[in-house]
Structures are given as structure tokens and as C-alpha cells.
Amino acid sequence: MNKSDNEMSLIDHLTELRRRLIIVIAVLFLGMILGLFVAQPVYQYLVSAETARNLVFHVFSFWDGIGLYMKIAMVVGIAVTLPCALYQIWAFVSPGLLLQERRMALRYIPFVFLMFLIGVLFAYYIVFPMALTFTSQVTRSMGLEETYGVVQYFTFMSNIVFPVAGLFELPLVIMFLTTLRIVNPALLRKLRRVSYFVLVLVAVVITPPDFISDILVAIPLLGLYELSVVLSTIVHRKQIARDEQNINNE
């Protein structure tokens, strides 16, 4: 009997997971359709920015223009889908969480999108111009003429912007893991040196090889880690207080 119940429980979970995946895919599809409508103004804004104004773009394939529009549509679709996907993940795992943990996890969803947006703005307006300026200076110092493919330009930009934007989710990830009692402030402090090394290494990799650029990117990343420690401490203290209250009530 127990075996049958377990099998039905597994089937129910898989059915619910499939239903939530279908919802996410449907929202992504609608978001990509929206992205196709805004692809033209987004493209015009990006190529008219200060970083691209003096560059001459070319295409090397008949599909480059269409492919670029599809990539912009995909990015818009993912941005629109992100809050929905996070909510679906929360709804799927929430039955295994305590009531307080459900409420706290649900509060994170709007901030995930906000932090990602802040990361995109930081990467696009600070990190990307530095990287592009450095590469252009090296090209000119070699006596080469700058003639770039539009696809290569946007690939270069996305390879910088989106990894940095992902790092801006670190405080929320740490808070969520603390809520689930997977990490705690003591562990984060213990791993501080290792984390600092990794974040500085990331800053060095994604920026031009000069000290100023490395510092300008490394400091915000280290600040994000310290913010993560502070937020984890707040969540952990509330957990301890709640646990003590439950013990006293018993």
C-alpha cells in the first residue's frame, strides 16, 4: 500500500512539474513575441550608444540581421519570463518548506529581477565601455582598422554583461540558501578569503588588464559578498529567534 502511495506521489509531482514547465515555456514564447516587436528600437538604442557610435558594423552572413533580432527577442523573452519562472520554482518546492520559509522565499522573487537589472546596467554602462575602449586602443596601436561584424559586437557585449548581471544575484541566493538552512553566516565568514579570491579573479577575467578597471569591478563584487553576509546574518538571527519561540511554546 505504501509503495502504491509513493508511486502516485511521484506521478503527481512529475505531473505538477510538467504543468509548471509548460507555463514557463508559454510565457517565454509570449515574451519572445514581444521581443520581436521591440527588437528594432532596442537595436537602434544599442548601436547609437557612445560605445558603438564610432564603429562601422558589417554582416558576414545573410542571416546575421535576422539572427540578431532573434537574439534580442530571446533576451527580452527571458527577462519577461524570469519572475514567472522563479515563482513556478517556488510554487513547486514550497510544499516542503515551513510557512515562514514560504513567505520569505516568495518575497525574494521581485528582488531577483531588480538585482539582475541593476547588474545589467552596471555591466553595460561601466564594465563594457572599459573593455571596449581597451580592445579598441590595442587594435589601433597595432595599426589595424576597426571594422566589426555586428554579431561579434553584440556577442562581445553579452559575454560581459550577462555574467556580471548574474553575479548581482549573489545576495539573494545567499539569503535563500540561508532560509533553507544550507548556509549560515559563520560558513560565509569562514569562506571569505576563498570567495574574495574567486570574485577578484572574475573581475580580472572580465575586465581589461589594467589595475584601475580591475579595482572598479572588484570592489562592487566584494561589496556584494559582504552584503550577502549581512543579509544572511539577519535571516539566521530571525531563524534562531523563531526556533527559540517554538521551543518555549512547546
Side-chain angles (χ1 to χ4, degrees):
M1 183 67 179
N2 291 335
K3 182 178 180 180
S4 177
D5 291 342
N6 290 334
E7 289 178 350
M8 289 300 296
S9 178
L10 177 60
I11 292 174
D12 290 341
H13 282 302
L14 292 176
T15 301
E16 182 183 1
L17 178 61
R18 183 182 65 177
R19 181 174 65 84
R20 297 195 181 281
L21 285 175
I22 291 174
I23 293 174
V24 172
I25 293 173
V27 174
L28 177 61
F29 179 74
L30 295 175
M32 289 183 63
I33 293 176
L34 174 64
L36 289 174
F37 284 100
V38 301
Q40 175 67 18
V42 169
Y43 170 78
Q44 291 298 333
Y45 174 78
L46 294 176
V47 296
S48 62
E50 187 67 30
T51 52
R53 194 169 298 168
N54 298 323
L55 299 178
V56 178
F57 292 124
H58 294 270
V59 295
F60 304 111
S61 167
F62 291 107
W63 295 103
D64 281 354
I66 297 175
L68 185 58
Y69 270 27
M70 293 302 298
K71 288 180 180 179
I72 294 175
M74 175 63 73
V75 171
V76 173
I78 293 175
V80 171
T81 307
L82 183 60
C84 174
L86 292 171
Y87 174 79
Q88 296 302 325
I89 293 173
W90 172 85
F92 182 73
V93 303
S94 62
L97 302 177
L98 299 175
L99 179 60
Q100 186 66 20
E101 292 173 340
R102 293 181 192 176
R103 292 175 179 174
M104 292 186 66
L106 185 60
R107 293 173 187 171
Y108 297 154
I109 294 177
F111 292 101
V112 169
F113 183 78
L114 178 61
M115 291 300 293
F116 183 79
L117 181 60
I118 294 174
V120 167
L121 295 176
F122 173 78
Y124 180 72
Y125 287 104
I126 297 179
V127 182
F128 175 61
M130 290 190 302
L132 195 63
T133 300
F134 174 79
T135 55
S136 296
Q137 289 175 348
V138 172
T139 300
R140 293 166 187 169
S141 69
M142 297 173 66
L144 302 175
E145 183 180 356
E146 291 184 285
T147 302
Y148 297 111
V150 66
V151 173
Q152 285 70 29
Y153 173 83
F154 281 94
T155 299
F156 179 71
M157 180 178 65
S158 61
N159 288 343
I160 292 176
V161 170
F162 293 118
V164 174
L167 290 173
F168 270 68
E169 302 291 349
L170 180 62
L172 296 176
V173 172
I174 294 299
M175 286 183 67
F176 185 70
L177 294 177
T178 305
T179 301
L180 299 180
R181 302 177 188 268
I182 297 176
V183 301
N184 56 63
L187 178 62
L188 295 176
R189 295 188 184 99
K190 184 178 180 180
L191 297 176
R192 179 179 273 123
R193 291 184 180 179
V194 176
S195 301
Y196 272 27
F197 174 78
V198 172
L199 292 174
V200 170
L201 181 62
V202 170
V204 171
V205 169
I206 65 177
T207 56
D210 66 87
F211 181 73
I212 300 299
S213 298
D214 296 341
I215 291 297
L216 288 175
V217 177
I219 289 178
L221 296 183
L222 298 181
L224 286 173
Y225 186 81
E226 291 303 323
L227 176 61
S228 302
V229 175
V230 172
L231 295 176
S232 178
T233 302
I234 295 173
V235 174
H236 188 62
R237 286 176 179 173
K238 291 182 178 180
Q239 287 178 331
I240 294 176
R242 191 163 57 249
D243 292 342
E244 292 177 351
Q245 183 178 3
N246 292 335
I247 293 174
N248 294 332
N249 292 337
E250 292 177 357

